[in-house]
Amino acid sequence: MERSRKYLLAVSLVLLALLVISIVFLHYKAYLLLSLIMIACIMIPFFARFEWREVAGREVVLLAMLAAIAAVGRVPFAGLPSVQPTSFIIIMAGLVFGAESGFIVGAVAAIVSNFFLGQGPWTPWQMYAWGMMGMSAGLLRNTRWMKTLWGKCVFGFLWGYLFGWFMNIWIIVSNIEALSWEFFVGIYVSSIYFDLAHALSNVFFLIVFGASWIKILQRIQRKYGLLEQQTG
């Protein structure tokens, strides 16, 4: 829906501003509150439609299950930095169910997985990054190149780097007193291996499991008429 898309874009800018403001004024002391605010902002229109009977209860359950699978899927790979199926599942949610669902699955997966791996000031940043990954997959899902395997692989590869680069911003801003060109370049150089591992793991999961996941999710969508109202 066009209205939902505009809301998502507006919320993404507001949440990005909140991330920076939270560091400058709150000094990381309210990261859990910020995480809850992020979840609330993105889910308000979704649950508003639920109240209007445009969203069925089983649709909420489906997104919750996808977020839980994405979150739990991250835990066994904790010993392999940046290698995990979480990003793949978030991309699948966006591609099949749309931008709004992709953002919700990404943001919820981040905060839920951190209950196992550890909450901290980085949690809202991960929520935003994974949420934007799912949202962008949904916004681009109807483009010609995203309907091809190579297009999906390029998307997943690029987001492996974009996710890492965004998280690097958190590290830089949180150490603003030590900011220098050497520090800035050092942070991004040191993350090259981790970003590459994330990018390649996204490509691997998309090639091996992408087609089957899309078929399964689309079959569920058609059979139960889930989230069909989303167009972006």
Side-chain angles (χ1 to χ4, degrees), residues 20-69:
V20 177
I21 292 172
S22 67
I23 289 180
V24 176
F25 295 101
L26 301 178
H27 304 289
Y28 311 107
K29 296 179 180 178
Y31 61 86
L32 285 178
L33 176 61
L34 180 59
S35 300
L36 294 176
I37 291 174
M38 293 176 69
I39 292 292
C41 286
I42 198 61
M43 296 191 78
I44 283 175
F46 186 84
F47 282 104
R49 291 205 307 275
F50 178 78
E51 291 299 322
W52 298 334
R53 298 297 186 269
E54 293 181 20
V55 177
R58 57 180 176 270
E59 295 174 345
V60 179
V61 174
L62 175 62
L63 293 184
M65 288 181 60
L66 285 174
I69 294 172

Side-chain angles (χ1 to χ4, degrees), residues 56-199:
R58 57 180 176 270
E59 295 174 345
V60 179
V61 174
L62 175 62
L63 293 184
M65 288 181 60
L66 285 174
I69 294 172
V72 174
R74 184 182 169 203
V75 177
F77 291 85
L80 299 173
S82 300
V83 177
Q84 33 71 22
T86 303
S87 295
F88 162 74
I89 298 171
I90 293 168
I91 292 172
M92 290 294 101
L95 285 175
V96 177
F97 300 118
E100 183 179 282
S101 297
F103 198 110
I104 291 174
V105 172
V108 174
I111 190 172
V112 171
S113 63
N114 281 349
F115 282 117
F116 299 96
L117 301 176
Q119 300 285 352
W122 55 84
T123 297
W125 292 75
Q126 290 177 329
M127 292 172 62
Y128 185 85
W130 262 319
M132 290 302 295
M133 183 187 297
M135 173 180 163
S136 59
L139 291 176
L140 297 173
R141 65 176 179 157
N142 292 321
T143 58
R144 180 179 301 177
W145 62 280
M146 279 294 278
K147 294 181 181 294
T148 64
L149 177 59
W150 70 266
K152 295 182 182 71
C153 288
V154 170
F155 178 86
F157 187 87
L158 291 176
W159 258 108
Y161 277 92
L162 291 175
F163 183 93
W165 291 347
F166 184 78
M167 294 305 297
N168 287 346
I169 295 175
W170 169 76
I171 298 174
I172 292 170
V173 175
S174 63
N175 294 276
I176 196 68
E177 68 282 352
L179 183 61
S180 65
W181 279 113
E182 292 77 8
F183 178 74
F184 181 88
V185 173
I187 290 295
Y188 278 87
V189 170
S190 63
S191 73
I192 289 177
Y193 164 77
F194 303 100
D195 298 338
L196 179 61
H198 190 177

